[in-house]
Amino acid sequence: MNIFKDYYNNEVKLSFADQPFSKTPKHVWVICKFKDNWLLTKHKDRGFEFPGGKVEKGETAKQAAIREVMEETGGKVKEIAYIGQYFVAGKGGNIIKNVYFATVSDLTQQHTYFETDGPLLLDSIPNDVKHNDLYSFIMKDGVLPQCMGYIEKNADKFFHKNNT
């Protein structure tokens, strides 16, 4: 288990075990690839981030992840895999969030992207995200680099010939 502070100095616990904090988390975050690019969204208030959000009543966390990718980017998820789960001991309450890795097969232009301005494709995630005002606070703690390292280390599990 990895323990660190987030952007707001809250304690974060990140685990790559199978849902160690809750079997029914209320939030999801999806690290996405579309072809050779990382697929992010531009949140209207927070800036650039990977898609994510709340699990709605009657859906699983995985279903929520697929829905959030579509709503915020217009991306159709081809494959999705659970990566890990993190727990934030926030001042306003605790948050438990599942992290997924998804490959997206198609991007469809939409009339609305809900609380975002739609998709953003990047060939790489910049090293200065932590100090770059264009990026959301969600991208600025240890969750992103540790999850990216986990994806890279397990590339054979997540990347297939037809997705790279």
Side-chain angles (χ1 to χ4, degrees):
M1 180 161 330
N2 304 292
I3 300 173
F4 49 89
K5 298 288 185 177
D6 71 4
Y7 182 77
Y8 294 110
N9 209 31
N10 298 309
E11 183 179 84
V12 178
K13 295 177 183 176
L14 170 66
S15 174
F16 297 109
D18 184 22
Q19 302 185 98
F21 307 112
S22 175
K23 299 294 181 198
T24 55
K26 304 259 190 270
H27 297 86
V28 296
W29 195 48
V30 190
I31 298 172
C32 301
K33 278 286 275 232
F34 175 66
K35 298 183 179 177
D36 290 330
N37 294 297
W38 295 104
L39 174 61
L40 288 79
T41 188
K42 183 179 182 222
H43 190 278
K44 291 179 181 178
D45 298 322
R46 297 189 298 253
F48 302 143
E49 62 188 26
F50 284 109
K54 294 181 181 175
V55 178
E56 294 180 356
K57 187 176 181 179
E59 72 181 351
T60 65
K62 185 176 178 180
Q63 290 167 335
I66 293 167
R67 175 184 50 76
E68 289 288 350
V69 171
M70 176 57 81
E71 286 180 358
E72 296 183 0
T73 69
K76 181 180 178 188
V77 171
K78 179 179 179 182
E79 294 179 297
I80 189 165
Y82 170 86
I83 295 175
Q85 189 176 73
Y86 66 98
F87 174 92
V88 180
K91 292 166 186 66
N94 297 333
I95 295 174
I96 298 172
K97 191 177 288 194
N98 276 10
V99 181
Y100 294 90
F101 174 70
T103 55
V104 171
S105 60
D106 298 297
L107 283 180
T108 304
Q109 188 171 1
Q110 302 181 149
H111 294 292
T112 180
Y113 293 97
F114 296 83
E115 67 272 3
T116 77
D117 290 329
L120 170 72
L121 294 170
L122 297 175
D123 59 353
S124 65
I125 304 298
N127 292 331
D128 69 342
V129 166
K130 190 172 188 171
H131 305 289
N132 188 324
D133 291 339
L134 294 174
Y135 289 86
S136 165
F137 73 91
I138 294 169
M139 305 280 285
K140 295 182 177 189
D141 60 29
V143 174
L144 177 62
Q146 291 182 44
C147 287
M148 294 294 259
Y150 182 83
I151 291 167
E152 187 176 317
K153 190 166 88 171
N154 295 282
D156 58 330
K157 182 177 175 180
F158 298 119
F159 294 92
H160 305 286
K161 281 186 191 178
N162 55 357
N163 293 337
T164 56

